[in-house]
Amino acid sequence: MKLFGWGGSARERFARQVLRTVKASGLVASARYVEADFSIEYQLIGESSRGRIYLENTFREAEQASIEERSLRIRRLVDTVLGATGLQPWAQAKGKLRPVLRAVTFGLGVTNNSMEYLSRPALPFLVEAVVVDEPTSMAYVNQRQLAEWGVSADEVFATARGNLAARVPRLDGPPVTEPTVMRFVESGDTYVTSFLLVDGFLAGLAPRVGGRPVAFVPDRDTLLVVGEDPGLLTSVYAMVEEQYQQAPRSISPVGYTVDDRGAVVPYTAPAGTELAKVVHRAEVLLAATEYANQTKALDADHERQGIDDLWVGSLIVAHRPNATTVSIAVWADDVDALLPQADVVAFTSYMPDGVTPLTVPFDVVAREAALVPEPDYNPPRYRVTRLPDEAVMARLIAQAVEI
């Protein structure tokens, strides 16, 4: 039997330090290290269900840090998840609220409903959450706090946005004459990536970046805003993708701009252009990352519940010879499955050439097979238990595409 004691690997020593910090918080009735997914499972005092603190991101950030810096990062992690600031009264907390952008699968490990953090959809695969900002830490607002405060979620979000709007820096000066790049870097309490949630902020940068602004938030510490230019954007997308993939706390590789009303929306390029291929590649990368995180969480949840007859489908990414990227969901015969939303659906039971599965655009499949998203899954999942009937399959075959 492997003992979780002194010594051990760097990961085990790190987990042991986090576990000690969790137990010393005075907020938990019990806590233990779960090696299988590199997490700390905890139960709050007075609560019946359990939550998880996943350690991978903070471990990667602190691996080369000094002892003091590592301890500080661990303290912040524990404070953020457990809410060590306590249930502050609304009058005390409301001035400290800040909105934050997070990937949609952030917080999936929390199984305690009262500790589920407050969030709402912001952009595809992204949500807006709210934190209580403290000098050395932040804590996510959860359902328990919302009930204690006796205020609506809408009021919490509006208050957080208002607080941040008052802190967004003014950018004066003459307009630039050609597309350029602006970089905003997190200083610890500026919440630069959240600037996209402030009404009018991104639209107002058009004169400063030399054209229609396109913003990127590859990780929690970086906001890039670029003036629209195909060549410049192509190079920025490549840089952002690398930063997104390497960041311990990534957000998105996708570009965002403003529509005619000034609302922040995903950036789209003219169909058929080389830039359109680059833009869609970023969209697929974000979708694949979030579906992979969701699949891992659902598989672990099903294992805990003893569910072994429901298949959680992966989002497959394919790179075609023409430099385009496509996402694929697989619909197998007689399998109870949760399908992800993709560019196309592959039917492995139908191989017209004897080798390659039939592939049909997802929107066509959803329409012809009357697919409906299952409740409580974000990103969305579609449950299927058998192949469509012959009449539907005939229509799908007629609308098939090659990938």
Side-chain angles (χ1 to χ4, degrees):
M1 181 176 69
K2 189 173 183 179
L3 297 178
F4 184 57
W6 297 107
S9 68
R11 292 168 69 86
E12 289 174 328
R13 293 194 301 272
F14 181 82
R16 186 163 57 244
Q17 186 174 354
V18 178
L19 181 60
R20 287 199 302 267
T21 305
V22 169
K23 290 182 175 180
S25 69
L27 299 171
V28 301
S30 64
R32 69 183 184 95
Y33 172 52
V34 182
E35 183 180 10
D37 57 10
F38 195 34
S39 72
I40 301 297
E41 182 183 77
Y42 65 89
Q43 181 179 3
L44 291 173
I45 295 172
E47 299 284 352
S48 58
S49 55
R50 296 177 180 273
R52 293 284 182 101
I53 302 176
Y54 291 99
L55 307 181
E56 187 67 43
N57 287 343
T58 305
F59 173 73
R60 288 170 59 191
E61 290 176 336
E63 196 168 10
Q64 303 300 324
S66 66
I67 294 175
E68 293 78 9
E69 175 65 18
R70 182 167 61 250
S71 297
L72 179 60
R73 288 183 179 272
I74 289 173
R75 179 74 263 171
R76 287 174 175 170
L77 171 67
V78 173
D79 286 353
T80 297
V81 177
L82 299 185
T85 54
L87 294 178
Q88 301 179 38
W90 171 247
Q92 180 182 347
K94 65 180 182 179
K96 304 175 183 179
L97 300 182
R98 304 287 186 270
V100 292
L101 271 176
R102 293 293 181 262
V104 70
T105 56
F106 173 76
L108 272 185
V110 176
T111 57
N112 184 329
N113 290 335
S114 71
M115 290 299 292
E116 182 180 350
Y117 76 100
L118 179 68
S119 69
R120 64 182 180 184
L123 290 158
F125 297 99
L126 300 183
V127 296
E128 177 183 358
V130 177
V131 299
V132 179
D133 180 56
E134 298 289 352
T136 61
S137 67
M138 67 179 187
Y140 289 89
V141 174
N142 56 48
Q143 299 298 329
R144 179 184 178 192
Q145 287 170 307
L146 199 63
E148 288 284 336
W149 287 339
V151 298
S152 68
D154 287 343
E155 183 174 358
V156 171
F157 283 114
T159 300
R161 285 196 177 198
N163 291 342
L164 182 64
R167 297 169 59 89
V168 172
R170 293 179 57 87
L171 300 173
D172 300 320
V176 299
T177 57
E178 60 184 24
T180 188
V181 180
M182 292 187 69
R183 179 186 290 268
F184 300 80
V185 179
E186 181 60 45
S187 64
D189 61 354
T190 49
Y191 294 88
V192 293
T193 58
S194 300
F195 290 175
L196 294 185
L197 299 170
V198 175
D199 291 341
F201 169 78
L202 184 57
L205 290 182
R208 309 299 305 149
V209 295
R212 186 186 184 195
V214 183
F216 298 87
V217 284
D219 56 50
R220 298 187 193 178
D221 296 330
T222 308
L223 168 63
L224 297 174
V225 184
V226 184
E228 186 179 30
D229 174 81
L232 180 59
L233 280 172
T234 297
S235 63
V236 171
Y237 267 100
M239 177 184 68
V240 165
E241 177 178 323
E242 181 178 2
Q243 186 169 342
Y244 169 77
Q245 292 180 317
Q246 293 180 355
R249 300 182 184 276
S250 59
I251 296 181
S252 170
V254 171
Y256 303 97
T257 188
V258 291
D259 62 16
D260 294 338
R261 299 175 294 107
V264 177
V265 295
Y267 176 75
T268 57
T273 63
E274 290 301 309
L275 181 57
K277 298 177 183 179
V278 173
V279 170
H280 188 59
R281 175 186 172 90
E283 295 169 340
V284 171
L285 175 58
L286 176 60
T289 300
E290 292 309 296
Y291 271 118
N293 292 340
Q294 184 193 50
T295 298
K296 181 179 179 181
L298 290 175
D299 283 343
D301 186 55
H302 291 171
E303 183 177 354
R304 286 192 295 268
Q305 297 184 54
I307 299 173
D308 57 7
D309 56 355
L310 179 59
W311 179 59
V312 181
S314 298
L315 188 72
I316 299 171
V317 178
H319 303 287
R320 294 189 280 197
N322 65 355
T324 58
T325 306
V326 62
S327 60
I328 305 168
V330 175
W331 190 336
D333 191 9
D334 295 327
V335 175
D336 190 356
L338 291 169
L339 300 186
Q341 188 167 320
D343 291 327
V344 299
V345 177
F347 293 87
T348 54
S349 299
Y350 286 78
M351 296 189 180
D353 61 0
V355 177
T356 308
L358 177 78
T359 50
V360 185
F362 188 92
D363 58 346
V364 173
V365 175
R367 181 181 68 249
E368 298 290 356
L371 297 184
V372 177
E374 286 288 296
D376 302 324
Y377 288 98
N378 195 6
R381 292 277 178 173
Y382 301 79
R383 191 163 187 173
V384 298
T385 55
R386 62 181 185 277
L387 289 176
D389 61 35
E390 291 185 5
V392 172
M393 283 304 308
R395 295 197 296 272
L396 294 179
I397 291 171
Q399 300 175 78
V401 295
E402 293 185 3
I403 61 170

